[in-house]
Amino acid sequence: MTIRIYNTMSRTKEIFEPLSPGKASVYVCGPTVYDSCHIGHARSVVVFDVIVRYLRAGGFEVTYIRNFTDVDDKIIARANQLGLDPMAIAEKYIREFYEDMDALHVLRADHEPRVTQFMDPIKAFIKKLLDNGMAYQIDGDVFYAVEAFGGYGKLSGRKLEDMEAGARVGINEKKRNPFDFALWKSAKPGEPAWDSPWGPGRPGWHIECSAMAWQHLGKTFDIHGGGKDLIFPHHENEVAQSEGAFNEPFARYWVHNGFVNIDQEKMSKSLGNFLMIKDVRKSYHSETIRLFLLSNHYRSPVDFTDKAMDEARAGLDRIYTFLERAEAAVGPPAESAETAGEHWRRFTEAMDDDFNTALGIGVLFEGVRTANGLMDARTDDALPRVGAVRDDILRMGGILGILNQTPAAYFSGRRSSALAAESIDASEIEALISERTEARKARDFARADAIRDELARKNIVLEDRPDGTIWKVDG
RNA sequence: GGCGGCAUAGCCAAGUGGUAAGGCAGCGGUCUGCAAAACCGUUAUUCACCGGUUCAAAUCCGGUUGCCGCCUCCA
């Protein structure tokens, strides 16, 4: 298979040719753990989760690194605000991160390093930059000298001169150039600090990723990912650091995901419209969230609205309804899927083209329609083909990180969570359904319809199937 | 001021030179006691607008308008 990836560095789709054939090294910037994760974090993590799953499915031996930034100004500020230890804050939000991401079926990375565990490599890295003349020390601070790195700006497509023309640069008279950034920050009283040749302090924000990628993946590796907002300054500065230290190419493919907007507005502190994953999870199934996040191309913005989420839920219901029907028709899926079929092939074509999950999801739905049609047709050869298409669909689900449940478990979960909002419980519903079944047998359709209407008012939808009546909660 | 992106049916959204995927919603039909679900059919001669290149453009080029993002912590 040939995968094409849009590389932010070249602004074009390139054929993915890893450094070592058959292997792929991936570094994705993880969260700064000073608050709960919002839906935007979810998108980034889910997008790269899917990319890694797909690379593995394609036979690549992937080494996937995702870090935690557990020392940072924001964490310290938060700790001071709450009167807690910064490390306790970090710990709390790392735990929350795992709760959210596990719920979203995000696979763990192969290594999930934390800044606090990487102080020695970070210091070694800074020393290298000082030795190379790429950095300078002032008092207890060490700054990177952007003018010393000829390629500065090549990732984000900016020129230092152009940016200096802008007026939005913080003033720090210690710096030689306003765009110089801290590699090491001297500690103020009460702040967490580590010893260093330059005095007690902590690493700047950007150096950690350069150091961690170097330690885990080497000087040059394949894919570096993160949100679009990280292109500048964070990733630009990583390039400057790593290439400034080793004089070798850093990441070979830069992959950046777009934002999640809320009702067409960017999430921002001023608007106070941060949507936390844990809150979204209260209203929507984790796979609904994934399906929604993957329904647009990863580089495009995606707009979170109730309507969009309801549509994603309707889509997921449809897929599980199919799986349920297929299971009744041809039995549960085999442990290991057979030879992949036409739908899977088309899905991989979509994914090969810069991980086009939106197109891939379209293929998945076409598979659902095809297989449903086969079951309707009831021809002799239909059932084996249904099984084959179902295998393809489940295989796609394995990449998208959805369809992790049996249909029975999915609908049972849907019912119980949706039922909590209604003033009725399952046993009452079952009793009413039995009564209605008797009424229908007696051809007392008035009574039967009255029961159905009564349940409908409580958002309980009945479906009379050949093998009996089932119920679902609408919404 | 600098850099970049987007504009496709009622809504969401793929599609980067060869004649418009998919989803949601709607309508007609099959099925059903009636429904629901499912399936079938149907819904853009057209891809913001104006020019240009080409046998051929939603797709390339130039311009116009509108929206958005980054340049500051941010996924």
Side-chain angles (χ1 to χ4, degrees):
Chain A
M1 78 193 202
T2 303
I3 296 179
R4 293 164 68 235
I5 301 179
Y6 182 88
N7 189 347
T8 305
M9 184 71 86
S10 65
R11 285 156 220 283
T12 168
K13 281 185 201 170
E14 299 175 7
I15 292 174
F16 178 58
E17 289 171 329
L19 210 52
S20 309
K23 297 188 178 179
S25 43
V26 181
Y27 185 98
V28 175
C29 288
T32 299
V33 282
Y34 71 104
D35 201 351
S36 302
C37 288
H38 58 244
I39 191 72
H41 292 106
R43 185 180 195 196
S44 180
V45 173
V46 165
V47 160
F48 289 102
D49 182 57
V50 168
I51 288 174
V52 167
R53 285 170 186 247
Y54 187 64
L55 290 172
R56 289 199 172 121
F60 288 98
E61 186 188 315
V62 179
T63 306
Y64 179 28
I65 314 296
R66 185 181 56 223
N67 72 295
F68 287 107
T69 299
D70 62 348
V71 193
D72 174 86
D73 292 350
K74 292 192 292 294
I75 298 171
I76 295 167
R78 182 86 179 193
N80 290 340
Q81 182 192 336
L82 298 174
L84 293 169
D85 179 66
M87 291 311 294
I89 298 286
E91 205 51 55
K92 169 180 158 64
Y93 289 114
I94 287 173
R95 213 162 33 230
E96 267 199 27
F97 175 89
Y98 282 129
E99 278 170 26
D100 286 337
M101 298 311 169
D102 288 350
L104 290 176
H105 298 106
V106 171
L107 303 175
R108 300 291 170 104
D110 296 303
H111 300 282
E112 305 188 332
R114 306 178 187 187
V115 178
T116 52
Q117 299 164 342
F118 260 74
M119 287 302 165
D120 287 341
I122 286 171
K123 284 184 272 188
F125 209 110
I126 294 171
K127 184 170 184 307
K128 216 172 259 294
L129 287 169
L130 282 165
D131 291 347
N132 287 1
M134 307 302 291
Y136 54 95
Q137 180 187 352
I138 290 187
D139 305 328
D141 295 323
V142 180
F143 292 104
Y144 187 96
V146 292
E147 285 171 44
F149 181 63
Y152 195 78
K154 66 180 178 181
L155 176 66
S156 56
R158 300 155 207 274
K159 300 189 192 80
L160 276 171
E161 311 86 73
D162 292 341
M163 291 193 291
E164 285 175 74
R168 305 174 74 179
V169 181
I171 296 155
N172 182 338
E173 65 287 346
K174 283 190 195 171
K175 294 183 189 175
R176 295 178 188 166
N177 182 299
F179 286 95
D180 289 352
F181 53 92
L183 298 171
W184 189 262
K185 294 179 167 187
S186 57
K188 300 190 191 80
E191 288 182 348
W194 286 258
D195 284 329
S196 83
W198 319 286
R202 62 179 185 277
W205 175 34
H206 315 293
I207 192 68
E208 61 190 71
C209 290
S210 285
M212 290 172 174
W214 168 48
Q215 289 291 295
H216 277 119
L217 302 175
K219 296 169 183 172
T220 303
F221 60 95
D222 293 310
I223 296 175
H224 192 135
K228 260 192 161 81
D229 51 328
L230 296 180
I231 295 172
F232 190 91
H234 188 234
H235 289 338
E236 190 70 65
N237 290 351
E238 282 184 45
V239 174
Q241 290 166 338
S242 294
E243 299 193 355
F246 303 120
N247 208 21
E248 286 178 36
F250 185 44
R252 305 173 66 244
Y253 300 87
W254 286 91
V255 178
H256 292 101
N257 64 275
F259 290 121
V260 179
N261 294 137
I262 308 294
D263 292 324
Q264 300 190 358
E265 279 181 321
K266 185 187 166 174
M267 282 190 280
S268 73
K269 290 183 174 100
S270 54
L271 287 166
N273 60 347
F274 276 89
L275 197 54
M276 299 306 179
I277 297 173
K278 59 184 176 186
D279 294 324
V280 180
R281 285 205 283 125
K282 289 175 191 159
S283 309
Y284 295 99
H285 187 100
S286 58
E287 295 183 2
T288 297
I289 300 171
R290 282 188 77 115
L291 190 62
F292 161 73
L293 291 172
L294 297 169
S295 64
N296 284 31
H297 186 92
Y298 75 85
R299 279 187 280 119
S300 306
V302 59
D303 193 28
F304 185 102
T305 62
D306 289 342
K307 184 164 178 285
M309 291 305 291
D310 288 347
E311 286 180 7
R313 177 167 58 195
L316 189 64
D317 277 355
R318 177 143 187 256
I319 300 167
Y320 270 111
T321 299
F322 156 72
L323 292 176
E324 188 177 47
R325 191 181 170 199
E327 195 164 310
V330 302
E335 275 302 307
S336 59
E338 335 257 300
T339 322
E342 174 66 10
H343 287 92
W344 171 257
R345 191 190 60 73
R346 289 210 286 137
F347 180 80
T348 61
E349 272 179 15
M351 292 297 289
D352 284 348
D353 186 9
D354 197 27
F355 310 109
N356 193 336
T357 53
L359 183 57
I361 288 168
V363 174
L364 194 159
F365 277 110
E366 286 185 61
V368 169
R369 183 150 44 81
T370 301
N372 272 326
L374 286 166
M375 284 189 280
D376 277 2
R378 296 168 190 275
T379 56
D380 291 343
D381 65 335
L383 260 30
R385 291 173 61 201
V386 169
V389 176
R390 193 254 309 269
D391 285 345
D392 275 4
I393 287 169
L394 290 174
R395 197 183 287 233
M396 296 177 213
I399 302 300
L400 301 170
I402 61 172
L403 313 181
N404 297 291
Q405 295 180 279
T406 62
Y410 173 78
F411 285 114
S412 148
R414 283 278 278 113
R415 278 198 292 263
S416 55
S417 61
L419 214 50
E422 308 294 339
S423 57
I424 191 163
D425 65 43
S427 60
E428 283 177 74
I429 294 168
E430 303 290 353
L432 285 166
I433 287 175
S434 299
E435 192 188 335
R436 177 168 170 275
T437 302
E438 291 308 310
R440 290 178 70 216
K441 275 184 190 155
R443 303 197 68 78
D444 180 0
F445 296 120
R447 178 60 192 149
D449 290 350
I451 291 169
R452 188 169 63 198
D453 291 346
E454 182 186 340
L455 287 169
R457 277 194 292 279
K458 296 180 174 174
N459 285 329
I460 311 299
V461 180
L462 301 188
E463 289 179 26
D464 296 326
R465 300 195 181 182
D467 54 342
T469 299
I470 66 137
W471 60 277
K472 292 181 173 175
V473 183
D474 187 21

